[in-house]
């Protein structure tokens, strides 16, 4: 029920965001537009407009995942699959002012952790949907690298006036190429007889780093699993 109410509030707040931002005033206006009692709105969104800004970002992630699953990418190089995923995420950015205001909101010091988490979630959705099976330190480096690419992409897109965001999509291709150059350099260092021992030592040190095991915490107090 709360998810449905949150979706209704999200749709209702979007027309107010260009004028008021993701603010308490916009949140109150959204509830008023729906004829929704304040207590009901605050129960669905305890943090008010902040919760709706988060929901807006996650709605875009969900649209990207759906588009990825509907796309035929089996014949693509993995580099192209990642680039395509980010381009699909760009296509889910349907309201420039809402994104601009959300970027400003999550840039505030008190909200930076939440904003960083959302960017990480986007990267995680990309890798998970593409079938990433890494369970070691690569699980983290893949998502951290892609998070950086996505964060810079959003900033570029905010100033992009090209048709169908063509310049932004070209920007994505360049950033992915940069990442691939880094990976090639790492592979070269592992083969170089001078640097190989240092790379091996690095791998040994990081061998104990594992991807989070969500199943370990699934049945602990404070966690809830949706009924199947």
């Amino acid at each position: 029920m709360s998810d449905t109410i949150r979706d209704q509030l999200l749709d209702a707040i979007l027309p107010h965001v260009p004028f008021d931002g993701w603010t308490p005033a916009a949140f109150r206006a959204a509830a008023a537009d729906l004829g929704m009692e304040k207590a009901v709105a605050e129960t669905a969104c305890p943090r008010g407009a902040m919760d709706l800004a988060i929901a807006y970002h996650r709605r875009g992630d969900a649209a990207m995942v759906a588009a990825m699953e509907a796309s035929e990418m089996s014949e693509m190089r993995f580099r192209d699959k990642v680039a395509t995923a980010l381009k699909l995420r760009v296509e889910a950015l349907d309201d420039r002012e809402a994104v601009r205001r959300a970027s400003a909101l999550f840039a505030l010091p008190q909200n930076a952790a939440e904003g960083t988490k959302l960017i990480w979630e986007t990267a995680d959705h990309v890798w998970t949907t593409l079938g990433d099976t890494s369970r070691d330190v690569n699980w983290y480096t893949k998502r951290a690298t892609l998070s950086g690419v996505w964060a810079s992409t959003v900033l570029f897109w905010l100033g992009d006036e090209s048709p169908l965001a063509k310049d932004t999509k070209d920007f994505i291709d360049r950033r992915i190429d940069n990442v691939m150059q880094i990976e090639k350099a790492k592979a070269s260092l592992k083969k170089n007889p001078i640097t190989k021992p240092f790379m091996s030592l690095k791998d040994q040190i990081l061998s104990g780093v594992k991807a989070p095991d969500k199943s370990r915490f699934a049945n602990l107090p404070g966690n809830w699993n949706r009924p199947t």
Side-chain angles (χ1 to χ4, degrees), residues 90-106:
V90 166
E91 292 175 5
L93 298 173
D94 57 355
D95 189 325
R96 193 178 302 271
E97 195 57 36
V99 175
R100 190 188 311 278
R101 294 281 192 154
S103 297
L105 176 69
F106 292 121

Side-chain angles (χ1 to χ4, degrees), residues 46-76:
R47 293 180 293 177
M50 167 67 80
D51 285 334
L52 293 181
I54 292 170
Y56 179 71
H57 181 95
R58 289 176 174 163
R59 178 183 284 183
D61 282 351
M64 174 193 69
V65 170
M68 289 175 66
E69 292 175 343
S71 300
E72 179 52 58
M73 295 192 287
S74 60
E75 300 300 321
M76 292 183 184

Side-chain angles (χ1 to χ4, degrees), residues 89-134:
R89 186 62 179 86
V90 166
E91 292 175 5
L93 298 173
D94 57 355
D95 189 325
R96 193 178 302 271
E97 195 57 36
V99 175
R100 190 188 311 278
R101 294 281 192 154
S103 297
L105 176 69
F106 292 121
L108 295 174
Q110 66 269 29
N111 301 330
E114 195 72 59
T116 301
K117 177 183 176 183
L118 291 173
I119 293 172
W120 182 277
E121 285 182 8
T122 299
D124 184 48
H125 283 308
V126 170
W127 284 113
T128 300
T129 306
L130 290 178
D132 176 41
T133 58
S134 59

Side-chain angles (χ1 to χ4, degrees), residues 83-214:
T84 297
L86 292 187
K87 292 173 185 178
L88 291 173
R89 186 62 179 86
V90 166
E91 292 175 5
L93 298 173
D94 57 355
D95 189 325
R96 193 178 302 271
E97 195 57 36
V99 175
R100 190 188 311 278
R101 294 281 192 154
S103 297
L105 176 69
F106 292 121
L108 295 174
Q110 66 269 29
N111 301 330
E114 195 72 59
T116 301
K117 177 183 176 183
L118 291 173
I119 293 172
W120 182 277
E121 285 182 8
T122 299
D124 184 48
H125 283 308
V126 170
W127 284 113
T128 300
T129 306
L130 290 178
D132 176 41
T133 58
S134 59
R135 303 304 300 166
D136 54 10
V137 69
N138 287 317
W139 188 92
Y140 296 93
T141 58
K142 287 178 178 179
R143 285 155 180 78
T145 302
L146 197 59
S147 292
V149 173
W150 177 242
S152 62
T153 297
V154 172
L155 293 177
F156 187 94
W157 176 82
L158 286 172
D160 182 11
E161 298 181 356
S162 63
L164 301 177
K166 180 183 181 302
D167 289 349
T168 298
K169 293 175 181 179
D170 291 342
F171 176 85
I172 290 172
D173 285 328
R174 294 195 297 273
R175 296 292 75 77
I176 296 298
D177 285 341
N178 292 155
V179 172
M180 296 306 298
Q181 290 171 4
I182 295 173
E183 293 302 316
K184 289 179 181 178
K186 287 166 60 178
S188 178
L189 289 172
K190 288 184 177 181
K191 294 179 180 179
N192 188 305
I194 297 176
T195 55
K196 183 177 180 179
F198 298 100
M199 297 299 289
S200 297
L201 177 61
K202 183 264 295 180
D203 290 341
Q204 290 176 17
I205 293 173
L206 296 176
S207 62
V209 178
K210 303 298 181 184
D213 183 1
K214 297 179 181 178

